[in-house]
Structure formats: structure tokens, C-alpha cells
Amino acid sequence: MTHSPSDDLDEIDRIILSILSDNPRTPYSDIAAELERRGHNMSSEGTRYRVQNLFDATSTFYMLNPESHDWHVLRVSVSVDDSVDAKATVTEKLQDRPFWFISSGVGSFDIYAVALAKTLAEVDEYIGDVRSIEGVESLDFFLETHRTTDMGNYFPLGEAI
């Protein structure tokens, strides 16, 4: 059986994250009331403490819905050559470009990055720019046109809220 990072969250954390994913501005008192409705007695101050701990343990970033704006969401996967420190060097060079999310790891490619582009010409420019970085062996890209998000799968709860 595989272990997911969300396995470390208890039911209260999952309920709080589910509420905040629907409305990040939900008052602590409203979250506490929902927790009480679900059988967890917690004060607004206790809820604030739990929320702060969750913020400390998570990354926050904003993912624009591609259907609600005119910007293009560009996702690139980059494979680097075998030169010494190629992955670190390419990652560092990507940080100087308009990519707002960059991650590296091990798998079928070395680096994954996301950028927003105003036009398709800008998308072409970004792709050409990344391909020109020394150490980049290949690049695949994806323009996101639609996204479906199911927070219930990300923060699974025993029962629906």
C-alpha cells in the first residue's frame, strides 16, 4: 500500500483544507462551526492554530483557470544532458525566466516548469528560449486549455461535506 502525504493529515485538517479550498477567506468562526457540525468541538482560536500549522506545512500558489482568462498556461518538461550539474544549472537559468513554478526530480524528464503567456507568440518565445539553454537536451510542452479539479480526491474525507 502506498503512503500519501495527505495520510499525515487527520480528519480535522482535511475538513479545514476542504473548507478553505472552496473559500480561502472563510472566517475561523465559520470553520469552527462546521467542525462542530461534523462532531469536532474546536474554538475559533483552536481553528486559527490548526490553519496556521497547515499553512506552515503546505505550499500555496495560485492556479488560474485557463477558461476564465486570456492568458495561456504553459507547462514544460525538460530533459537535460549528462554534463556535470546540468540539472541544477538549467533549473537556475529557468529561475531567471518567467516560470512561476519550477521543480526537478527523477523520472521520464528532469525538470517541470509552468509559466503564463499573454500570446501564442510569447509561448513560442518561451519554448525557444528554454531550448537554447546550455544543458537542455529536449523539451516537451503542453498548453492547458481546460482543467477539472476535484479537491475531494486531494483531501479525501470519510463523508462529503
Side-chain angles (χ1 to χ4, degrees):
M1 178 181 242
T2 61
H3 177 76
S4 167
S6 67
D7 292 343
D8 296 332
L9 302 175
D10 65 13
E11 184 177 2
I12 294 171
D13 291 334
R14 292 168 193 265
I15 292 169
I16 291 171
L17 287 170
S18 179
I19 292 167
L20 292 175
S21 72
D22 286 336
N23 180 3
R25 300 181 80 183
T26 303
Y28 297 130
S29 59
D30 291 357
I31 296 171
E34 178 61 24
L35 286 168
E36 185 172 345
R37 187 187 76 72
R38 300 278 314 260
H40 303 284
N41 190 12
M42 184 170 291
S43 68
S44 294
E45 184 60 25
T47 301
R48 185 199 62 75
Y49 177 79
R50 292 289 284 253
V51 168
Q52 186 57 53
N53 286 340
L54 288 168
F55 284 162
D56 290 344
T58 58
S59 304
T60 304
F61 60 92
Y62 304 97
M63 294 181 57
L64 297 174
N65 184 343
E67 298 161 326
S68 65
H69 59 84
D70 293 332
W71 289 67
H72 301 283
V73 179
L74 172 64
R75 300 174 182 278
V76 299
S77 55
V78 178
S79 295
V80 300
D81 62 27
D82 291 333
S83 60
V84 176
D85 295 327
K87 190 184 297 187
T89 301
V90 172
T91 298
E92 185 177 313
K93 291 182 186 272
L94 285 172
Q95 292 171 353
D96 295 333
R97 285 153 172 89
F99 292 93
W100 61 270
F101 178 84
I102 303 167
S103 65
S104 62
V106 177
S108 57
F109 54 88
D110 299 300
I111 302 168
Y112 174 76
V114 181
L116 297 176
K118 293 179 187 176
T119 65
L120 290 175
E122 201 169 65
V123 168
D124 287 340
E125 179 184 324
Y126 292 175
I127 291 168
D129 187 34
V130 172
R131 283 188 172 131
S132 72
I133 297 173
E134 186 175 340
V136 170
E137 189 171 87
S138 66
L139 174 143
D140 289 314
F141 69 92
F142 176 79
L143 276 179
E144 184 175 319
T145 60
H146 175 77
R147 178 187 312 124
T148 301
T149 304
D150 185 341
M151 296 310 288
N153 285 335
Y154 189 67
F155 304 119
L157 295 169
E159 64 178 83
I161 291 181

